Amino acid sequence: MYIYDHYDQQIVEDRVKQFRDQTRRYFAGELSEDEYLPLRLQNGLYVQRHAPMLRIAVPYGLLATKQLRMLAHITRKYDKGYAHITTRTNVQLNWPALEDVPDILDDLASVQMHAIQTSGNCIRNTTTDQFAGVARDERIDPRPWCEIIRQWSTFHPEFARLPRKFKIAVNGCTLDRAAIEVHDIGLEALHNAAGELGFRVLVGGGLGRTPIVGSCINEFLPWQHLLSYLEAILRVYNRFGRRDNKFKARIKILVKALSPAVFAERVAEEWAHLKDGPITLIEEEVERVSKHFTDPAYLDLSDQDAELAALDVAHPGFARWRSRNVVAHKKPGYAAVTLSLKKTGIAPGDVTEKQLDTIADLADKYSFSEVRNTHEQNIVLADVEQSKLFELWEQLREHGFATPNIGLLTDIICCPGGDFCALANAKSIPVAEAIQERFDNLDYLFDIGNLDLNISGCMNACGHHHIGHIGILGVDKKGEEFYQVSLGGSSGRQASLGKILGPSFAQDIMPDVISKLIDVYIEHRTPEEQFIDTFQRIGINTFKERVYASNH
């Protein structure tokens, strides 16, 4: 992972000192609430329903064990003993005291962490595949390119006050696990017919109040021009994006209003002034960044297929866990393991301070002292020796990380909702827990198979409900919490947005609604079909009839 140099460290430490003085002035009455607001947002600090919320940056999801241990220390000392993994792979603290935040930022800086650009109308954390660097279907490792974008975008003076927040994702694999089609900018690394590296550029995707799948404006951008082309896109957006209405200020609205073709023309016109200029990338710069992402000290191992198969037979629980939470690795004899943060009864994405310390210990022992946060709100040990999988599984069971549900219905993406967020129309966590309890039978979960269920507490779609195979949106009906259901969303290649099923439902019947939807799927599926396949084949009406029929 990327390691700070002297300049990086000095920048972060100077920012902490600056914010400490700003906070002192605020408490002394020298800064008003309105004056302090943009200053705290620049440091990832929100004021939520019950307390401040601090969002901590985790660039492209990578964490070292010393950083995990610092997060554990901070949650113990300054919070209520737990942290929350977000859908942008960051970490949130939901209960810090405002006066403690400068000390928290100081502690974070000591382990090369910060909260810069985790809020406000700026370029947010660039995300990518949680299996970057180890996936068997990888074309190129996207992490160096994420880091290059991070260094270019951090403190970029021209893009500190965009019309709205801005999100970029990079994919380097055959599959798209980074959801690049629903980002403000999605970048797909590929090679042209001549074997040259470049990027397919998608623009104008996003969820929220107006969900849109992004449009391609450049089929092949040579890697040397990545930053100048991104800068051209941001300049067009900064110039023409709406600032009169925050609900229409995202780049997706501008791209739709102009049309992707016209937007591409505007970008090309702007790029003409930037192309081959000072920010053109050179091989030495790419190499400087890439050297931080070389392979760890892998052993020369062989795959343990026969040995693992024998363990599967002897231990069915291990077999289930391995089938859902373990994926193939590019190196023989290794595997990537996902630690589920979706145990029934626990808010999705929450992890306690003790668990953070435990994960650090496990990563030190089994995965070269690094972990990755996922946008599905889980944690990955990316480099585990296959011969140690059974030993690891036993320890994960002990600490609550071995629920074999990755990719299944109870692996729910869920925002904090009305329990914490001042913007939420309804609670999300109780709905997630009720659904998890209803579908707590592992045999039934495995029979249902792959199914993405996402829950958001409001139209901002922090829970990505639009791209869930089943999406749930909290809505306010005359002061009461109700839930709107959508079907057919997906976030991979050829991403799709869910279609609204019909009128919304009260919270207490949501498990029944989901049960009826699953019943329709099981009755109509063919042997090879997953939920999304059956939905696409039979359409929404069959599901709608079952859910709303009075005799069901």
Side-chain angles (χ1 to χ4, degrees), residues 23 122 138 188 318 392:
T23 302
C122 58
E138 190 167 84
E188 179 168 20
F318 174 72
L392 173 61

Side-chain angles (χ1 to χ4, degrees), residues 117-138:
Q117 291 184 203
T118 59
S119 60
N121 296 334
C122 58
I123 300 173
R124 301 288 186 87
N125 186 30
T126 298
T127 56
T128 190
D129 185 349
Q130 64 263 34
F131 302 117
V134 304
R136 285 194 177 177
D137 66 329
E138 190 167 84

Side-chain angles (χ1 to χ4, degrees), residues 527-546:
E528 73 282 359
E529 282 185 335
Q530 299 176 6
F531 181 92
I532 187 66
D533 303 317
T534 301
F535 172 82
Q536 291 171 346
R537 178 172 57 82
I538 70 174
I540 198 169
N541 288 336
T542 305
F543 293 92
K544 183 180 296 187
E545 290 166 3
R546 176 66 59 86

Side-chain angles (χ1 to χ4, degrees), residues 91-381:
V91 172
Q92 286 182 184
L93 303 180
N94 287 314
W95 300 97
L98 192 62
E99 58 269 25
D100 288 335
V101 172
D103 290 334
I104 295 172
L105 295 178
D106 201 19
D107 284 348
L108 290 171
S110 72
V111 292
Q112 303 191 352
M113 297 186 74
H114 59 77
I116 296 165
Q117 291 184 203
T118 59
S119 60
N121 296 334
C122 58
I123 300 173
R124 301 288 186 87
N125 186 30
T126 298
T127 56
T128 190
D129 185 349
Q130 64 263 34
F131 302 117
V134 304
R136 285 194 177 177
D137 66 329
E138 190 167 84
R139 298 186 185 113
I140 69 152
D141 186 344
R143 294 173 300 172
W145 302 98
C146 291
E147 177 59 28
I148 287 169
I149 293 169
R150 187 196 70 81
Q151 294 189 22
W152 160 76
S153 63
T154 301
F155 291 132
H156 196 306
E158 202 172 336
F159 306 135
R161 292 176 178 82
L162 294 168
R164 279 289 271 130
K165 58 186 176 181
F166 202 90
K167 301 175 180 179
I168 301 173
V170 186
N171 180 41
C173 295
T174 302
L175 298 175
D176 178 12
R177 290 176 289 266
I180 63 171
E181 295 188 26
V182 288
H183 278 76
D184 296 300
I185 295 178
L187 298 170
E188 179 168 20
L190 43 77
H191 293 89
N192 63 13
E196 299 165 323
L197 174 64
F199 295 90
R200 183 170 179 259
V201 183
L202 305 172
V203 173
L207 304 178
R209 191 171 296 270
T210 309
I212 297 176
V213 174
S215 300
C216 180
I217 63 167
N218 194 323
E219 289 289 352
F220 186 82
L221 174 72
W223 64 265
Q224 295 91 337
H225 302 300
L226 176 63
L227 295 186
S228 61
Y229 197 77
L230 292 181
E231 191 141 317
I233 292 171
L234 266 296
R235 282 189 176 184
V236 172
Y237 172 50
N238 212 11
R239 180 180 177 188
F240 297 106
R242 292 186 60 171
R243 296 177 185 270
D244 61 320
N245 185 335
K246 71 176 183 178
F247 300 120
K248 297 183 179 181
R250 297 292 293 270
I251 192 174
K252 61 189 177 184
I253 303 299
L254 177 61
V255 173
K256 184 178 181 180
L258 293 176
S259 82
V262 172
F263 184 85
E265 290 174 3
R266 295 276 177 89
V267 172
E269 291 168 1
E270 185 62 40
W271 191 39
H273 304 293
L274 299 168
K275 187 179 180 183
D276 299 321
I279 59 173
T280 302
L281 288 168
I282 58 175
E283 290 185 4
E284 290 81 0
E285 175 62 8
V286 176
E287 176 60 29
R288 177 188 71 83
V289 176
S290 296
K291 70 181 182 181
H292 291 279
F293 302 95
T294 55
D295 284 347
Y298 291 127
L299 300 175
D300 186 12
L301 303 175
S302 299
D303 285 331
Q304 303 286 300
D305 296 339
E307 294 84 350
L308 291 172
L311 286 169
D312 287 345
V313 173
H315 303 276
F318 174 72
R320 278 179 163 166
W321 172 78
R322 197 164 74 89
S323 71
R324 299 307 316 184
N325 298 40
V326 179
V327 300
H329 196 286
K330 69 178 183 180
K331 297 293 289 186
Y334 286 87
V337 174
T338 301
L339 280 57
S340 175
L341 301 186
K342 311 294 178 63
K343 184 178 181 180
T344 300
I346 304 298
D350 280 4
V351 56
T352 70
E353 42 92 6
K354 291 181 180 178
Q355 287 179 319
L356 287 167
D357 276 333
T358 296
I359 294 169
D361 292 342
L362 294 172
D364 281 341
K365 186 174 182 180
Y366 294 105
S367 195
F368 298 102
S369 299
E370 288 184 6
V371 305
R372 291 107 177 278
N373 294 344
T374 81
H375 82 264
E376 294 94 351
Q377 301 173 291
N378 293 306
I379 292 177
V380 169
L381 300 180

Side-chain angles (χ1 to χ4, degrees), residues 431-496:
V431 176
E433 291 181 347
I435 293 169
Q436 287 175 327
E437 289 172 2
R438 174 66 61 89
F439 292 92
D440 201 29
N441 184 301
L442 280 175
D443 288 332
Y444 190 34
L445 272 182
F446 272 68
D447 181 50
I448 295 168
N450 290 345
L451 197 159
D452 296 338
L453 194 155
N454 302 349
I455 306 176
S456 298
C458 76
M459 285 298 295
N460 286 313
C462 294
H464 296 182
H465 66 279
H466 295 295
I467 51 173
H469 300 159
I470 299 175
I472 299 174
L473 168 65
V475 295
D476 183 326
K477 283 182 129 182
K478 298 181 180 179
E480 295 187 27
E481 296 181 4
F482 276 73
Y483 297 86
Q484 184 183 84
V485 174
S486 58
L487 300 179
S490 65
S491 62
R493 294 207 175 279
Q494 299 178 329
S496 58

